[in-house]
Amino acid sequence: MFEKLCGVMDESQLQLDQSLKDDITEHLQSLEKEVECYFPELSQEQEALARNPFSTEHDVSSIPDEIQDEFLDQRNESSAHDLFKLKSVTQFWCTMYQSYSKVSMIAFRVLVPFASTYLYETGFSTLVNIKTKNRNRLDVGNDMRLALTNFRP
């Protein structure tokens, strides 16, 4: 939208009011903070660990001390390595949670925000569709449950 705004402003040879520029800047900064809440800064090492815990490129010293032993145990377990080859990344980490919960939690911090954000957006869109002017009931819990379920009635 800013490209179109700039194009219109250039064509009409107008300048934006400084207060409008300040409002736009403030709004964009608040959006940036909001996105940072959903997607906190993750180190490259954490992202690499979530993608492939068996890579030889991992620097063990960059992993927190309380997790290093568990990480090394998992890395040296051949059955975990075989499981990693057979399953998807998310399925692998869900399976590993029972045995290696601390290392799995690091991977979950990388993997979960995308899924949870998607679910929130899906729920919000569903609520907007249910809460129309014609269907303005106070209790939408049952309608939401039915709309968001994976089961077919």
Side-chain angles (χ1 to χ4, degrees), residues 19-59:
S19 64
L20 181 59
K21 286 182 182 180
D22 293 341
D23 288 344
I24 291 172
T25 303
E26 183 181 332
H27 180 68
L28 290 176
Q29 288 171 343
S30 69
L31 286 176
E32 182 181 24
K33 288 179 185 174
E34 189 73 24
V35 168
E36 287 173 0
C37 289
Y38 285 111
F39 304 104
E41 285 293 322
L42 298 170
S43 69
Q44 296 272 341
E45 190 64 33
Q46 288 175 329
E47 292 176 7
L49 174 70
R51 280 193 307 271
N52 185 357
F54 302 101
S55 174
T56 57
E57 297 175 8
H58 292 300
D59 183 17

Side-chain angles (χ1 to χ4, degrees), residues 3 8-9 39 60 72 92 96 130:
E3 288 180 34
V8 169
M9 297 301 289
F39 304 104
V60 178
L72 290 172
F92 169 77
M96 289 290 105
I130 290 173

Side-chain angles (χ1 to χ4, degrees), residues 18-142:
Q18 186 60 38
S19 64
L20 181 59
K21 286 182 182 180
D22 293 341
D23 288 344
I24 291 172
T25 303
E26 183 181 332
H27 180 68
L28 290 176
Q29 288 171 343
S30 69
L31 286 176
E32 182 181 24
K33 288 179 185 174
E34 189 73 24
V35 168
E36 287 173 0
C37 289
Y38 285 111
F39 304 104
E41 285 293 322
L42 298 170
S43 69
Q44 296 272 341
E45 190 64 33
Q46 288 175 329
E47 292 176 7
L49 174 70
R51 280 193 307 271
N52 185 357
F54 302 101
S55 174
T56 57
E57 297 175 8
H58 292 300
D59 183 17
V60 178
S61 63
S62 67
I63 296 173
D65 293 338
E66 63 273 6
I67 300 174
Q68 284 181 3
D69 289 338
E70 189 174 290
F71 171 71
L72 290 172
D73 289 345
Q74 180 189 25
R75 184 187 233 175
N76 294 323
E77 185 181 335
S78 61
S79 62
H81 190 70
D82 294 340
L83 195 62
F84 181 74
K85 290 178 182 177
L86 294 175
K87 294 190 174 202
S88 70
V89 174
T90 53
Q91 290 173 334
F92 169 77
W93 284 114
C94 288
T95 305
M96 289 290 105
Y97 182 73
Q98 293 292 329
S99 305
Y100 304 103
S101 60
K102 293 176 184 174
V103 179
S104 297
M105 287 307 293
I106 291 175
F108 288 154
R109 277 190 224 121
V110 174
L111 299 172
V112 170
F114 303 106
S116 62
T117 303
Y118 164 76
L119 293 174
Y120 283 122
E121 294 297 328
T122 302
F124 183 74
S125 296
T126 302
L127 179 63
V128 168
N129 288 333
I130 290 173
K131 286 288 250 190
T132 62
K133 200 173 203 178
N134 297 331
R135 296 182 65 194
N136 192 12
R137 291 189 298 178
L138 293 176
D139 184 22
V140 295
N142 292 331

